[in-house]
Amino acid sequence: LWSKRSSESSLTLFSHMELSLSHRLFNSSSSLPSLFNSRIKLSQTHLFSLNNHHQKLQFFTGLHHKLATSMEPQTTIPHAFDNGSSITSSETGRIGEVKRTTKETNVHVKINLDGTGVAENNSGIPFLDHMLDQLASHGLFNVHVKATGDIHIDDHHTNEDVALAIGTALLQALGDRKGINRFGDFSAPLDEALVHVSLDLSGRPHLNFDVQIPTQRVGTYDTQLVEHFFQSLVNTSGMTLHIRQLAGKNSHHIIEATFKAFARALRQATEYDLRRGGSVPSSKGVLSRS
């Protein structure tokens, strides 16, 4: 900025002097040789000044680029798996990818913690897809879920297995958890509803779910499955998760506020703490799934 302003000042000075010289030239032909010499000398001085400032600007620009590059968090792609088989991916970031196949469901989940909020979810349960869209949008994760299951019986098995797969994908994407904030805390309002979520990526699975959903269903979705979803996710990710409803009467609003608060808290916890310098956020020096 200093170099740029200095260059601009030199250019302004040159312009003013050029106008003054031109005026004198127009009114007095006798001064023609001396004026041309003055202009040539001034131009040479100005060009020399510009060259110096340009060199300084290049130096500081290069230095800033080097500093910025050295401070960028270095991310790796954990090795995703499907019962021991590797799955390759050209996407960059902290990625977890899981395929879970049972006699009841067939689930494929991919999550990128360093995404932009892309959601491609088709679980066969429309309301669950809507909630997974909230996870992607408000967490700025890329979330891809494709599942088929025995929803002709009910949504229980598919809801559970999708959550188990998401928890496992989170576990993969987090890796050794070096440099992350680890803790996340957020309260999300949605009209009359207000839900508070606090979580710790500790490696120790625990769920405290204090939410009162007044109706048994939202659309075709059994509202009992909300708690079961988070319990399943906690079990495979190794997360300590507290969810507490502070206000709310509308079932849809309460559940959606829960997923939004969870997404924002998880985003806080998975983001990098630059002051930590890549160390594990634990006094024990290690964070792992118990």
Side-chain angles (χ1 to χ4, degrees), residues 81-100:
F81 64 89
D82 173 17
N83 297 327
S85 302
S86 63
I87 301 172
T88 59
S89 174
S90 59
E91 192 176 359
T92 59
R94 292 170 294 168
I95 296 173
E97 187 169 3
V98 172
K99 288 183 178 179
R100 177 183 172 85

Side-chain angles (χ1 to χ4, degrees), residues 50-104:
L50 280 179
N51 285 335
N52 277 349
H53 292 319
H54 182 65
Q55 290 173 358
K56 291 176 183 177
L57 184 61
Q58 284 184 322
F59 171 77
F60 285 113
T61 302
L63 180 62
H64 176 266
H65 176 72
K66 288 180 180 179
L67 287 172
T69 303
S70 67
M71 291 181 68
E72 288 179 355
Q74 302 298 312
T75 58
T76 57
I77 304 176
H79 207 48
F81 64 89
D82 173 17
N83 297 327
S85 302
S86 63
I87 301 172
T88 59
S89 174
S90 59
E91 192 176 359
T92 59
R94 292 170 294 168
I95 296 173
E97 187 169 3
V98 172
K99 288 183 178 179
R100 177 183 172 85
T101 303
T102 69
K103 292 181 179 180
E104 298 165 338

Side-chain angles (χ1 to χ4, degrees), residues 125 127 154-156 159 213 215-228 255:
I125 307 173
F127 185 76
D154 66 10
D155 296 340
H156 184 98
N159 180 86
I213 304 172
T215 62
Q216 185 176 352
R217 293 187 180 277
V218 173
T220 60
Y221 186 75
D222 184 353
T223 55
Q224 293 183 87
L225 295 179
V226 177
E227 180 176 3
H228 192 56
I255 299 170

